[in-house]
Amino acid sequence: MTKQYHPETLAIHAGQESPDPATNARAVPVYRTTAYNFNNSEHGANLFALKELGNIYSRLMNPTNDILEKRLAALEGGAAGLTLSSGTAAVYFSVRNILRAGDELVSANNLYGGTFTQFDAILPNENIKVHLTPVNDFKAVEKAINAKTRAVFIETIGNPVLDVADVEGYAEIAKKHKLPLIVDSTFTTPFLLRPIDYGANIVIHSLSKWIGGHGTGIGGIVIDDGKFDWKDKKFALYNEPDGGYHGLKYATDLGPLAPLAFILRLRTVGLRNQGPTLAPDAAWIFLQGVESLALRIKKHSENALAVAEHLAKNSKVEWVRYPGLKGDPSYKLAQKYLPNGQGGMVVFGLKGDKDGKKATKFVDNIKLFSLLANVGDAKSLIIHSASTTHSQLSEKAQGEGGLHKDLIRLSVGIEHIDDIIGALDDALKLV
Ligand SMILES: *Cc1c(COP(=O)(O)O)cnc(C)c1O
């Protein structure tokens, strides 16, 4: 059905072509089953040999998850998607679906805290070197790429100062070096930016944030554009026989399924043998989120812009960063990549707050905002990043990423804007 409909329509229908064939249930059912009957032995054998695609066991696939995967793949303009147990698992297993020990990754350095730690401390222990480069510094990217590089990684809007990545610029470099570009688009969602339109190959989301949208579940998804050429011999995981799958070579042995090589490998090696599966109950929660995402992300963006403009006018505020704020260092890139809204995140600092004492007082006293480590809830959220989400980073790494002790991070919710601004003003009076 998919392509001819607008995104708002796809968000409600894609992946579910008709009501549940067994029951006529209109909503997507939660298929709470561990396994699926084979019609006969031959059917079972074909499924196991990838000669036929179909349900085997819910660690690898589930009809509820399948609809969510198809829906988000349609929204991103991708060929296929795969849900995983968390956004963190989506990042880790995407990288490990391309890189093996001895390979190298080039990444922007303005990352989500957990991803930064994964790249900075976990992957090096697995003998994968990660070159962290300042966002949009293409000279540094070119310099970091070498014969061992296997992928380039960025976030659309980075942490913590909300710099917008020049996705097209990264895609050009990746393409020139025959490398896949992996883009974590959690902060933008397919309604603000579709990285594949600008040349990205792999798109990742934490479903736990705006897509779920209500702070009610943990999940992740990976979407593949289906166009990257894995036959290049440097991608050993695709060109050497997989001992765990009777010698299958993903780049060359999949026949008509070749465009799905990345997702099929992630399913067979990642989910089947390493097990970071998303429960169908959680997939169902995220399907509810997707259906209203277009409306919510618009409201998040409108409220965040209003908050940023309001804070910028306050004499106690030293600085504000929001990609949609006129004069913001990312404003120009936001005009290009995020014309329909610049997302729900705003960060700012207070005057005379080098040590962050006013910031902690502010977050401890504000009403309405929840003090917690999450983003993308319908509720407004607040946190002091330096002492929490990015506290694992050294002070040097924090500084390089643009994080200073005074930074207050807001995830602006969809409450009435007057109430949100009222809460900020009341808290400002106390500092
Ligand atoms: C939250 C988040 C993640 C991790 O997702 P989880 O679902 O919490 O594991 C990764 N990247 C970004 C940009 C995030 O905001």
Side-chain angles (χ1 to χ4, degrees):
M1 86 180 220
T2 47
K3 293 272 152 61
Q4 71 273 29
Y5 285 122
H6 293 86
E8 292 80 355
T9 311
L10 293 176
I12 292 165
H13 293 281
Q16 191 196 27
E17 308 293 326
S18 57
D20 180 53
T23 63
N24 269 351
R26 186 61 195 89
V28 175
V30 185
Y31 290 91
R32 279 206 190 99
T33 186
T34 307
Y36 308 84
N37 273 56
F38 303 133
N39 301 332
N40 50 47
S41 306
E42 189 194 357
H43 180 220
N46 282 343
L47 291 176
F48 265 75
L50 291 181
K51 282 187 190 152
E52 226 179 288
L53 291 183
N55 295 319
I56 299 175
Y57 189 72
S58 274
R59 180 167 11 86
L60 338 181
M61 69 267 279
N62 177 283
T64 310
N65 298 41
D66 180 60
I67 290 173
L68 179 61
E69 287 159 357
K70 291 191 168 125
R71 193 163 292 183
L72 281 167
L75 284 171
E76 289 288 4
L82 188 72
T83 50
L84 292 98
S85 55
S86 68
T88 301
V91 171
Y92 178 78
F93 286 95
S94 294
V95 170
R96 293 310 311 262
N97 202 40
I98 303 171
L99 280 74
R100 67 176 182 182
D103 292 341
E104 298 187 2
L105 178 70
V106 174
S107 172
N109 68 355
N110 58 336
L111 298 167
Y112 176 73
T115 304
F116 189 96
T117 304
Q118 199 179 101
F119 289 3
D120 187 54
I122 312 288
L123 289 180
N125 271 335
E126 300 175 359
N127 196 20
I128 288 175
K129 187 169 176 180
V130 184
H131 299 262
L132 294 165
T133 55
V135 67
N136 298 334
D137 182 345
F138 295 133
K139 277 201 191 116
V141 175
E142 287 277 9
K143 218 175 130 199
I145 291 174
N146 61 41
K148 293 180 179 171
T149 312
R150 294 293 175 270
V152 177
F153 186 101
I154 57 170
E155 294 181 5
T156 50
I157 297 182
N159 261 286
V161 290
L162 312 177
D163 284 311
V164 175
D166 184 351
V167 183
E168 206 164 33
Y170 277 100
E172 274 167 25
I173 294 182
K175 199 167 176 202
K176 184 172 118 196
H177 294 277
K178 299 194 165 59
L179 297 169
L181 175 63
I182 309 173
V183 179
D184 182 336
S185 190
T186 301
F187 275 36
T188 36
T189 84
F191 280 100
L192 299 184
L193 175 60
R194 301 203 321 167
I196 290 172
D197 292 345
Y198 294 99
N201 303 103
I202 312 289
V203 178
I204 292 172
H205 291 285
S206 166
L207 297 167
S208 326
K209 311 296 171 51
W210 290 271
I211 289 178
H214 300 79
T216 50
I218 297 285
I221 193 162
V222 180
I223 292 137
D224 174 17
D225 75 336
K227 292 190 193 119
F228 190 79
D229 182 13
W230 300 105
K231 289 197 288 297
D232 184 339
K233 290 284 183 287
K234 71 185 173 199
F235 296 102
L237 297 180
Y238 289 80
N239 290 283
E240 291 178 10
D242 180 0
Y245 219 98
H246 44 72
L248 182 79
K249 290 190 218 147
Y250 291 92
T252 50
D253 294 350
L254 288 173
L257 297 176
L260 304 181
F262 178 87
I263 290 291
L264 276 173
R265 191 183 184 284
L266 195 56
R267 199 183 281 286
T268 49
V269 180
L271 289 193
R272 189 184 70 133
N273 294 119
Q274 294 178 296
T277 304
L278 183 74
D281 303 72
W284 186 88
I285 288 172
F286 298 128
L287 279 165
Q288 308 312 297
V290 175
E291 293 196 1
S292 62
L293 179 60
L295 294 172
R296 286 185 293 103
I297 200 71
K298 188 162 176 269
K299 191 75 186 164
H300 280 292
S301 298
E302 284 168 12
N303 280 355
L305 177 59
V307 162
E309 286 172 344
H310 185 77
L311 288 173
K313 283 188 291 205
N314 192 294
S315 60
K316 288 186 178 173
V317 172
E318 173 79 27
W319 60 271
V320 185
R321 289 289 311 265
Y322 181 69
L325 191 63
K326 276 211 181 82
D328 188 273
S330 276
Y331 183 75
K332 251 182 97 177
L333 284 169
Q335 293 298 298
K336 169 172 175 176
Y337 290 107
L338 307 168
N340 300 321
Q342 299 79 41
M345 301 298 294
V346 176
V347 294
F348 70 103
L350 297 168
K351 283 209 173 113
D353 192 30
K354 271 214 156 49
D355 58 5
K357 287 217 174 77
K358 285 185 187 168
T360 48
K361 185 164 185 199
F362 186 90
V363 303
D364 282 342
N365 285 289
I366 192 165
K367 300 280 190 302
L368 190 66
F369 283 70
S370 304
L371 172 57
L372 52 74
N374 190 17
V375 296
D377 197 321
K379 303 171 186 70
S380 287
L381 315 174
I382 191 164
I383 201 162
H384 179 237
S385 295
S387 61
T388 55
T389 57
H390 285 66
S391 58
Q392 255 71 269
L393 277 66
S394 66
E395 215 155 295
K396 181 169 173 280
Q398 287 189 355
E400 282 167 6
L403 173 57
H404 299 287
K405 287 206 169 70
D406 64 339
L407 185 141
I408 298 169
R409 185 180 84 179
L410 307 177
S411 173
V412 180
I414 57 174
E415 300 97 338
H416 196 287
I417 186 60
D418 294 350
D419 297 330
I420 295 172
I421 283 179
L424 289 163
D425 282 347
D426 287 346
L428 278 168
K429 281 183 201 129
L430 296 173
V431 296

